[in-house]
Amino acid sequence: MSVSAYERLVVRRPLAPSGCVGVQGMDAERRILLSESQVSGCGHYVDLTWVRPDSQPGRYAIEQVLDYDQVLLHIGMDWRRPQKLGATVEFYLGGQRMVFDTTTALFIPRGTPYGLLAWKDIRQPYVLLRLVFGSGEEPVGHWWDAETARLYASSAPPGPGSAAPGAGVDYEQYVIRSPLREAGPARVEGRQNPTMTYLSGRQIPQAKAYLEFGWIWDVPQPPIPKMRHDDYDEIVLHIGSDPDCPDDLGAVLHFGIGNDLFEFDTTHCAYLPRATDHGPLSWEVVRRPMIEMAVMLGASTMEEAWANSF
């Protein structure tokens, strides 16, 4: 059987990062869903970590800084109450302390120091999804020290990265604690509508991506139709909700890409370059609730992201 030319755009089996053997806590749970080595030319990086009651912060245990914008999305896994995180998280952004217990997105502009991450409690496992924009491989953070601060102050564009942490910047502006509900038809059986927007230019003006997701708990009716986006590349994620079998999608999904039809039953990622036809999406069976997520790269609003798509 011939392999579809579009198979190169799909990551069916997330990768464990090198060096994870023998690692304890959340670093051992991390899996790479998208990188340049998996999808050549994608130019972005996505990983997923299951956070559990015995998790330790690992690479988030120190204050550091990246040369790229990124988003840390803490996703509660109760599909009936999707904004309930099931944990209380303490996080420092620009030296400013944040505490949250809801599904929350943290937008971290390049040059902004972030960390420590810690938990007050973890009442049920949840997913931490990390998206790094503009880096095709996992970027290495710099420890935040006096020399790093001096370099960023002299080189970063105007914004948080050009000032010392806490120098008149309220970093709460980069925290999305509650989503916008704006995309999707009034009702689709078996699927959350409207979906939840956790990143857009409406929420954070500096953001150059539109991120929305929703829960699917039964076979959606009607199926999602075929579409294409002529102006924006897109990342599509389907994520299973079983912490004991994190690779299991809990469903059988048929997903059209180009003129070919793909079947998935595992957590997976698809990178869709602009002007790539994709869909329809139809489900053969849904055994356990799952998440569907779309990230439109370069779009700031729902109207930009979905204009002339269908």
Side-chain angles (χ1 to χ4, degrees):
M1 180 181 292
S2 61
V3 176
S4 168
Y6 295 98
E7 185 70 37
R8 66 181 182 83
L9 301 176
V10 173
V11 178
R12 293 179 178 271
R13 298 285 182 180
L15 295 178
S18 60
C20 268
V21 177
V23 174
Q24 301 298 312
M26 69 182 296
D27 282 346
E29 298 276 357
R30 181 161 52 108
R31 295 295 181 267
I32 300 170
L33 283 165
L34 182 66
S35 67
E36 192 71 25
S37 61
Q38 293 161 298
V39 179
S40 178
C42 70
H44 305 281
Y45 174 88
V46 181
D47 68 26
L48 180 151
T49 302
W50 273 91
V51 178
R52 304 175 186 271
D54 60 349
S55 289
Q56 300 297 322
R59 68 194 185 285
Y60 295 117
I62 58 171
E63 190 175 46
Q64 56 190 306
V65 65
L66 282 191
D67 296 330
Y68 305 93
D69 293 346
Q70 64 175 319
V71 173
L72 301 181
L73 179 56
H74 297 254
I75 307 172
M77 300 304 282
D78 183 347
W79 67 278
R80 292 183 179 87
R81 294 181 291 177
Q83 289 177 244
K84 178 183 177 183
L85 185 59
T88 303
V89 182
E90 180 181 45
F91 186 76
Y92 287 83
L93 183 58
Q96 184 174 330
R97 181 175 180 264
M98 317 285 180
V99 177
F100 54 89
D101 61 4
T102 60
T103 291
T104 295
L106 302 151
F107 178 71
I108 307 175
R110 66 171 292 270
T112 302
Y114 65 96
L116 164 81
L117 181 155
W119 293 275
K120 298 301 183 181
D121 62 73
I122 302 174
R123 300 177 293 281
Q124 62 188 44
Y126 76 86
V127 162
L128 171 57
L129 190 76
R130 179 194 191 200
L131 299 97
V132 183
F133 302 111
S135 175
E137 298 295 343
E138 181 180 12
V140 177
H142 311 288
W143 285 37
W144 187 260
D145 53 24
E147 178 62 15
T148 305
R150 184 188 67 78
L151 289 173
Y152 273 91
S154 63
S155 64
S162 64
V169 177
D170 182 3
Y171 290 93
E172 182 67 34
Q173 67 185 295
Y174 300 116
V175 182
I176 300 173
R177 299 173 180 270
S178 184
L180 295 175
R181 301 290 187 102
E182 56 181 354
R187 181 170 178 79
V188 175
E189 295 293 334
R191 180 175 186 259
Q192 183 182 349
N193 281 94
T195 55
M196 300 181 291
T197 300
Y198 268 98
L199 184 67
S200 72
R202 283 197 175 95
Q203 294 151 305
I204 299 173
Q206 294 93 327
K208 301 303 179 187
Y210 179 83
L211 185 158
E212 57 155 311
F213 74 91
W215 281 92
I216 291 169
W217 55 84
D218 200 353
V219 173
Q221 295 292 345
I224 299 173
K226 189 173 184 177
M227 68 191 82
R228 63 183 282 163
H229 315 299
D230 289 331
D231 297 323
Y232 304 107
D233 300 337
E234 182 181 10
I235 297 170
V236 174
L237 299 151
H238 291 103
I239 301 170
S241 65
D242 187 349
D244 297 321
C245 301
D247 289 339
D248 180 20
L249 186 60
V252 177
L253 165 66
H254 297 146
F255 186 4
I257 304 178
N259 294 318
D260 298 330
L261 190 65
F262 294 77
E263 182 175 290
F264 299 97
D265 62 4
T266 60
T267 289
H268 61 273
C269 177
Y271 174 74
L272 304 170
R274 65 194 63 189
T276 300
D277 290 341
H278 54 286
L281 287 86
S282 61
W283 283 257
E284 183 177 317
V285 64
V286 177
R287 301 185 305 273
R288 182 183 177 100
M290 53 159 285
I291 288 172
E292 181 176 52
M293 182 180 300
V295 185
M296 211 73 73
L297 302 162
S300 292
T301 65
M302 179 189 70
E303 290 80 8
E304 288 181 355
W306 293 106
N308 304 315
S309 291
F310 294 98

